Amino acid sequence: MDIRNCRKCGNIFNYVVGPIICPACREKQEEEFQKVKKYVLENPRVSIQQVSAECDVDAVQIKQWIREERLEIAEGSSLYINCELCGAPIRSGRFCDKCRVEMASGFRNVMNEKRTDVPRHPSNNEKGNPKMRFLQ
Ligand SMILES: [Zn+2]
Ligand SMILES: [Zn+2]
């Protein structure tokens, strides 16, 4: 059993998987999602702030749904989120096309930083320190 505090209401619950929110809040969130989804479909030209106000749902939550690609944004809609690197307006995911291309070509190594702790060329250490061999 993994007992946690719900991030939304603070109640303790038996955590299983996914976001740390209790079943009651999860259900409420699902209702909010359906409400937002319907509103966005019927009003494709509204901004996130308007959706947030009309549906009484946090704008941060709406942006998260867009990022997770749960909430689809129709062509011509004025809804958008921002690229996490350069802030350009995007319709889904985390990065704009430009940043994605730059990351793929290795220009921006944000995604790969954690993988560099395994040395790819162990022989470089020996070459860099030739004197070490004679210290014994
Ligand atoms: Zn809760
Ligand atoms: Zn970008």
Side-chain angles (χ1 to χ4, degrees):
M1 287 257 281
D2 188 1
I3 302 295
R4 306 262 190 122
N5 282 86
C6 171
R7 277 193 189 165
K8 285 192 175 288
C9 68
N11 284 342
I12 56 166
F13 70 106
N14 185 18
Y15 176 71
V16 185
V17 72
I20 305 168
I21 55 174
C22 70
C25 288
R26 196 183 291 253
E27 207 169 289
K28 187 167 168 276
Q29 197 179 52
E30 188 55 34
E31 274 172 29
E32 287 177 346
F33 175 72
Q34 294 304 335
K35 191 160 70 171
V36 167
K37 192 178 170 185
K38 188 163 176 278
Y39 185 78
V40 169
L41 270 176
E42 287 167 359
N43 306 276
R45 300 218 161 259
V46 294
S47 68
I48 286 181
Q49 282 67 32
Q50 279 172 284
V51 180
S52 171
E54 283 298 320
C55 300
D56 194 23
V57 177
D58 200 344
V60 174
Q61 178 64 72
I62 297 170
K63 286 181 188 179
Q64 197 188 323
W65 285 328
I66 297 172
R67 242 180 243 294
E68 289 168 353
E69 293 173 26
R70 270 193 84 188
L71 194 63
E72 286 172 35
I73 304 179
E75 202 64 41
S77 162
S78 47
L79 283 186
Y80 65 88
I81 53 175
N82 298 100
C83 168
E84 286 184 12
L85 280 175
C86 72
I90 52 174
R91 291 264 156 85
S92 67
R94 297 176 60 194
F95 308 107
C96 69
D97 288 343
K98 184 173 138 280
C99 290
R100 259 202 293 260
V101 169
E102 282 181 1
M103 275 189 286
S105 67
F107 187 74
R108 287 185 193 244
N109 274 321
V110 181
M111 305 297 285
N112 294 322
E113 262 168 43
K114 280 176 190 158
R115 289 181 208 161
T116 50
D117 28 279
V118 181
R120 280 182 204 160
H121 305 287
S123 60
N124 280 355
N125 287 337
E126 280 180 46
K127 280 177 198 164
N129 256 327
K131 282 176 192 165
M132 291 296 281
R133 284 182 206 167
F134 306 104
L135 282 177
Q136 294 163 357

